[in-house]
Amino acid sequence: MLYYTQIIFVKEGQEGTFHSFEDLVLPLLRQHNGELIYRIRPTVSSVITTAFGHPYEIHLVSFADRKSFENYRDDPDRLQYMKLKEESVDRVILIEGSAL
């Protein structure tokens, strides 16, 4: 089992576009042995220290293996909505890990 943490920074005023993107692509996770474990929208006060700024959302997702993640990432149904992501997301930090 692999885990992916995404720290997502959304462009100001593009939150609705980002929500539209997420509504379209998150349901595809299960088709690729993926599961959304956490989707967190932290408040400014909940971030104690940061070198990167305040994230809009933090996701923790699991996949059975790297191939499943790559299949999700490259899914044509997901890729058709990438314009929405490009319009709304300033940057993403992606961290891969495993359970200890």
Side-chain angles (χ1 to χ4, degrees):
M1 184 74 61
L2 287 177
Y3 296 91
Y4 292 88
T5 302
Q6 283 191 329
I7 304 171
I8 305 162
F9 300 86
V10 172
K11 296 174 186 173
E12 188 173 333
Q14 293 298 317
E15 296 83 2
T17 303
F18 176 70
H19 296 170
S20 295
F21 172 71
E22 294 289 279
D23 290 346
L24 293 164
V25 302
L26 289 176
L28 300 173
L29 285 167
R30 290 216 179 263
Q31 296 175 24
H32 299 286
N33 302 310
E35 180 178 18
L36 179 62
I37 298 170
Y38 288 107
R39 183 178 179 189
I40 302 166
R41 200 168 291 151
T43 62
V44 172
S45 64
S46 69
V47 178
I48 298 166
T49 303
T50 177
F52 294 109
H54 181 260
Y56 183 72
E57 281 191 0
I58 300 170
H59 297 180
L60 178 60
V61 180
S62 67
F63 286 94
D65 50 39
R66 181 182 287 269
K67 185 65 175 162
S68 295
F69 167 73
E70 291 170 349
N71 288 341
Y72 170 74
R73 180 193 66 199
D74 301 334
D75 184 317
D77 289 334
R78 181 180 174 276
L79 293 176
Q80 72 178 325
Y81 303 117
M82 290 305 290
K83 185 173 177 14
L84 294 171
K85 182 178 181 182
E86 292 163 4
E87 289 176 10
S88 62
V89 174
D90 181 45
R91 67 188 188 279
V92 174
I93 299 168
L94 179 65
I95 303 162
E96 181 185 271
S98 59
L100 299 177

